[in-house]
mmCIF file with all atom_site columns, all heavy atoms in Angstrom:
data_model
loop_
_atom_site.group_PDB
_atom_site.id
_atom_site.type_symbol
_atom_site.label_atom_id
_atom_site.label_alt_id
_atom_site.label_comp_id
_atom_site.label_asym_id
_atom_site.label_entity_id
_atom_site.label_seq_id
_atom_site.pdbx_PDB_ins_code
_atom_site.Cartn_x
_atom_site.Cartn_y
_atom_site.Cartn_z
_atom_site.occupancy
_atom_site.B_iso_or_equiv
_atom_site.pdbx_formal_charge
_atom_site.auth_seq_id
_atom_site.auth_comp_id
_atom_site.auth_asym_id
_atom_site.auth_atom_id
_atom_site.pdbx_PDB_model_num
ATOM 1  N N   . PHE A 1 17 ? 111.479 -16.933 167.112 1.00 68.00 ? 17 PHE A N   1
ATOM 2  C CA  . PHE A 1 17 ? 111.667 -15.498 167.421 1.00 68.00 ? 17 PHE A CA  1
ATOM 3  C C   . PHE A 1 17 ? 112.396 -14.783 166.298 1.00 68.00 ? 17 PHE A C   1
ATOM 4  O O   . PHE A 1 17 ? 112.034 -13.653 165.904 1.00 68.00 ? 17 PHE A O   1
ATOM 5  C CB  . PHE A 1 17 ? 112.480 -15.400 168.739 1.00 68.00 ? 17 PHE A CB  1
ATOM 6  C CG  . PHE A 1 17 ? 112.787 -13.988 169.105 1.00 68.00 ? 17 PHE A CG  1
ATOM 7  C CD1 . PHE A 1 17 ? 111.822 -13.175 169.722 1.00 68.00 ? 17 PHE A CD1 1
ATOM 8  C CD2 . PHE A 1 17 ? 114.031 -13.410 168.843 1.00 68.00 ? 17 PHE A CD2 1
ATOM 9  C CE1 . PHE A 1 17 ? 112.096 -11.872 170.048 1.00 68.00 ? 17 PHE A CE1 1
ATOM 10 C CE2 . PHE A 1 17 ? 114.300 -12.113 169.179 1.00 68.00 ? 17 PHE A CE2 1
ATOM 11 C CZ  . PHE A 1 17 ? 113.352 -11.315 169.794 1.00 68.00 ? 17 PHE A CZ  1
ATOM 12 N N   . SER A 1 18 ? 113.412 -15.435 165.756 1.00 74.00 ? 18 SER A N   1
ATOM 13 C CA  . SER A 1 18 ? 114.153 -14.797 164.679 1.00 74.00 ? 18 SER A CA  1
ATOM 14 C C   . SER A 1 18 ? 113.286 -14.548 163.454 1.00 74.00 ? 18 SER A C   1
ATOM 15 O O   . SER A 1 18 ? 113.373 -13.508 162.771 1.00 74.00 ? 18 SER A O   1
ATOM 16 C CB  . SER A 1 18 ? 115.371 -15.683 164.304 1.00 74.00 ? 18 SER A CB  1
ATOM 17 O OG  . SER A 1 18 ? 116.222 -15.824 165.408 1.00 74.00 ? 18 SER A OG  1
ATOM 18 N N   . ARG A 1 19 ? 112.423 -15.545 163.141 1.00 72.00 ? 19 ARG A N   1
ATOM 19 C CA  . ARG A 1 19 ? 111.550 -15.391 161.971 1.00 72.00 ? 19 ARG A CA  1
ATOM 20 C C   . ARG A 1 19 ? 110.572 -14.235 162.165 1.00 72.00 ? 19 ARG A C   1
ATOM 21 O O   . ARG A 1 19 ? 110.335 -13.419 161.263 1.00 72.00 ? 19 ARG A O   1
ATOM 22 C CB  . ARG A 1 19 ? 110.806 -16.703 161.755 1.00 72.00 ? 19 ARG A CB  1
ATOM 23 C CG  . ARG A 1 19 ? 109.953 -16.703 160.489 1.00 72.00 ? 19 ARG A CG  1
ATOM 24 C CD  . ARG A 1 19 ? 109.256 -18.028 160.290 1.00 72.00 ? 19 ARG A CD  1
ATOM 25 N NE  . ARG A 1 19 ? 108.341 -18.256 161.404 1.00 72.00 ? 19 ARG A NE  1
ATOM 26 C CZ  . ARG A 1 19 ? 107.567 -19.344 161.490 1.00 72.00 ? 19 ARG A CZ  1
ATOM 27 N NH1 . ARG A 1 19 ? 107.652 -20.300 160.587 1.00 72.00 ? 19 ARG A NH1 1
ATOM 28 N NH2 . ARG A 1 19 ? 106.773 -19.517 162.531 1.00 72.00 ? 19 ARG A NH2 1
ATOM 29 N N   . ARG A 1 20 ? 110.001 -14.162 163.377 1.00 74.00 ? 20 ARG A N   1
ATOM 30 C CA  . ARG A 1 20 ? 109.039 -13.068 163.645 1.00 74.00 ? 20 ARG A CA  1
ATOM 31 C C   . ARG A 1 20 ? 109.738 -11.704 163.629 1.00 74.00 ? 20 ARG A C   1
ATOM 32 O O   . ARG A 1 20 ? 109.183 -10.702 163.153 1.00 74.00 ? 20 ARG A O   1
ATOM 33 C CB  . ARG A 1 20 ? 108.349 -13.303 164.974 1.00 74.00 ? 20 ARG A CB  1
ATOM 34 C CG  . ARG A 1 20 ? 107.419 -14.501 164.948 1.00 74.00 ? 20 ARG A CG  1
ATOM 35 C CD  . ARG A 1 20 ? 106.878 -14.777 166.323 1.00 74.00 ? 20 ARG A CD  1
ATOM 36 N NE  . ARG A 1 20 ? 105.996 -15.952 166.326 1.00 74.00 ? 20 ARG A NE  1
ATOM 37 C CZ  . ARG A 1 20 ? 105.484 -16.488 167.405 1.00 74.00 ? 20 ARG A CZ  1
ATOM 38 N NH1 . ARG A 1 20 ? 105.731 -15.951 168.607 1.00 74.00 ? 20 ARG A NH1 1
ATOM 39 N NH2 . ARG A 1 20 ? 104.701 -17.555 167.326 1.00 74.00 ? 20 ARG A NH2 1
ATOM 40 N N   . ALA A 1 21 ? 110.898 -11.680 164.186 1.00 76.00 ? 21 ALA A N   1
ATOM 41 C CA  . ALA A 1 21 ? 111.636 -10.414 164.214 1.00 76.00 ? 21 ALA A CA  1
ATOM 42 C C   . ALA A 1 21 ? 111.985 -9.968  162.801 1.00 76.00 ? 21 ALA A C   1
ATOM 43 O O   . ALA A 1 21 ? 111.920 -8.783  162.456 1.00 76.00 ? 21 ALA A O   1
ATOM 44 C CB  . ALA A 1 21 ? 112.904 -10.573 165.055 1.00 76.00 ? 21 ALA A CB  1
ATOM 45 N N   . LEU A 1 22 ? 112.310 -10.968 161.955 1.00 76.00 ? 22 LEU A N   1
ATOM 46 C CA  . LEU A 1 22 ? 112.665 -10.643 160.556 1.00 76.00 ? 22 LEU A CA  1
ATOM 47 C C   . LEU A 1 22 ? 111.445 -10.091 159.823 1.00 76.00 ? 22 LEU A C   1
ATOM 48 O O   . LEU A 1 22 ? 111.517 -9.095  159.070 1.00 76.00 ? 22 LEU A O   1
ATOM 49 C CB  . LEU A 1 22 ? 113.189 -11.882 159.864 1.00 76.00 ? 22 LEU A CB  1
ATOM 50 C CG  . LEU A 1 22 ? 113.651 -11.700 158.403 1.00 76.00 ? 22 LEU A CG  1
ATOM 51 C CD1 . LEU A 1 22 ? 114.821 -10.701 158.369 1.00 76.00 ? 22 LEU A CD1 1
ATOM 52 C CD2 . LEU A 1 22 ? 114.064 -13.046 157.822 1.00 76.00 ? 22 LEU A CD2 1
ATOM 53 N N   . MET A 1 23 ? 110.268 -10.686 160.036 1.00 80.00 ? 23 MET A N   1
ATOM 54 C CA  . MET A 1 23 ? 109.040 -10.228 159.368 1.00 80.00 ? 23 MET A CA  1
ATOM 55 C C   . MET A 1 23 ? 108.662 -8.832  159.852 1.00 80.00 ? 23 MET A C   1
ATOM 56 O O   . MET A 1 23 ? 108.292 -7.961  159.055 1.00 80.00 ? 23 MET A O   1
ATOM 57 C CB  . MET A 1 23 ? 107.896 -11.218 159.634 1.00 80.00 ? 23 MET A CB  1
ATOM 58 C CG  . MET A 1 23 ? 108.101 -12.573 158.967 1.00 80.00 ? 23 MET A CG  1
ATOM 59 S SD  . MET A 1 23 ? 106.824 -13.752 159.419 1.00 80.00 ? 23 MET A SD  1
ATOM 60 C CE  . MET A 1 23 ? 105.380 -12.946 158.740 1.00 80.00 ? 23 MET A CE  1
ATOM 61 N N   . LEU A 1 24 ? 108.766 -8.644  161.186 1.00 79.00 ? 24 LEU A N   1
ATOM 62 C CA  . LEU A 1 24 ? 108.425 -7.308  161.740 1.00 79.00 ? 24 LEU A CA  1
ATOM 63 C C   . LEU A 1 24 ? 109.407 -6.263  161.233 1.00 79.00 ? 24 LEU A C   1
ATOM 64 O O   . LEU A 1 24 ? 109.033 -5.137  160.868 1.00 79.00 ? 24 LEU A O   1
ATOM 65 C CB  . LEU A 1 24 ? 108.460 -7.379  163.257 1.00 79.00 ? 24 LEU A CB  1
ATOM 66 C CG  . LEU A 1 24 ? 108.095 -6.061  163.978 1.00 79.00 ? 24 LEU A CG  1
ATOM 67 C CD1 . LEU A 1 24 ? 106.670 -5.625  163.626 1.00 79.00 ? 24 LEU A CD1 1
ATOM 68 C CD2 . LEU A 1 24 ? 108.213 -6.251  165.500 1.00 79.00 ? 24 LEU A CD2 1
ATOM 69 N N   . GLY A 1 25 ? 110.676 -6.638  161.151 1.00 76.00 ? 25 GLY A N   1
ATOM 70 C CA  . GLY A 1 25 ? 111.671 -5.678  160.644 1.00 76.00 ? 25 GLY A CA  1
ATOM 71 C C   . GLY A 1 25 ? 111.439 -5.325  159.201 1.00 76.00 ? 25 GLY A C   1
ATOM 72 O O   . GLY A 1 25 ? 111.583 -4.185  158.780 1.00 76.00 ? 25 GLY A O   1
ATOM 73 N N   . ALA A 1 26 ? 111.035 -6.355  158.424 1.00 79.00 ? 26 ALA A N   1
ATOM 74 C CA  . ALA A 1 26 ? 110.740 -6.115  157.018 1.00 79.00 ? 26 ALA A CA  1
ATOM 75 C C   . ALA A 1 26 ? 109.563 -5.158  156.877 1.00 79.00 ? 26 ALA A C   1
ATOM 76 O O   . ALA A 1 26 ? 109.559 -4.243  156.040 1.00 79.00 ? 26 ALA A O   1
ATOM 77 C CB  . ALA A 1 26 ? 110.478 -7.433  156.300 1.00 79.00 ? 26 ALA A CB  1
ATOM 78 N N   . ALA A 1 27 ? 108.544 -5.411  157.707 1.00 81.00 ? 27 ALA A N   1
ATOM 79 C CA  . ALA A 1 27 ? 107.373 -4.543  157.681 1.00 81.00 ? 27 ALA A CA  1
ATOM 80 C C   . ALA A 1 27 ? 107.730 -3.101  158.050 1.00 81.00 ? 27 ALA A C   1
ATOM 81 O O   . ALA A 1 27 ? 107.326 -2.137  157.406 1.00 81.00 ? 27 ALA A O   1
ATOM 82 C CB  . ALA A 1 27 ? 106.272 -5.074  158.576 1.00 81.00 ? 27 ALA A CB  1
ATOM 83 N N   . GLN A 1 28 ? 108.533 -2.990  159.118 1.00 81.00 ? 28 GLN A N   1
ATOM 84 C CA  . GLN A 1 28 ? 108.967 -1.658  159.541 1.00 81.00 ? 28 GLN A CA  1
ATOM 85 C C   . GLN A 1 28 ? 109.813 -0.983  158.460 1.00 81.00 ? 28 GLN A C   1
ATOM 86 O O   . GLN A 1 28 ? 109.679 0.218   158.201 1.00 81.00 ? 28 GLN A O   1
ATOM 87 C CB  . GLN A 1 28 ? 109.772 -1.769  160.838 1.00 81.00 ? 28 GLN A CB  1
ATOM 88 C CG  . GLN A 1 28 ? 108.906 -2.141  162.062 1.00 81.00 ? 28 GLN A CG  1
ATOM 89 C CD  . GLN A 1 28 ? 109.749 -2.328  163.300 1.00 81.00 ? 28 GLN A CD  1
ATOM 90 O OE1 . GLN A 1 28 ? 110.917 -2.716  163.218 1.00 81.00 ? 28 GLN A OE1 1
ATOM 91 N NE2 . GLN A 1 28 ? 109.139 -2.111  164.486 1.00 81.00 ? 28 GLN A NE2 1
ATOM 92 N N   . GLY A 1 29 ? 110.665 -1.774  157.819 1.00 79.00 ? 29 GLY A N   1
ATOM 93 C CA  . GLY A 1 29 ? 111.488 -1.201  156.770 1.00 79.00 ? 29 GLY A CA  1
ATOM 94 C C   . GLY A 1 29 ? 110.632 -0.727  155.592 1.00 79.00 ? 29 GLY A C   1
ATOM 95 O O   . GLY A 1 29 ? 110.884 0.315   154.995 1.00 79.00 ? 29 GLY A O   1
#
Side-chain angles (χ1 to χ4, degrees):
F17 178 79
S18 299
R19 185 179 62 179
R20 291 174 183 175
L22 183 63
M23 292 174 64
L24 182 61
Q28 289 176 332

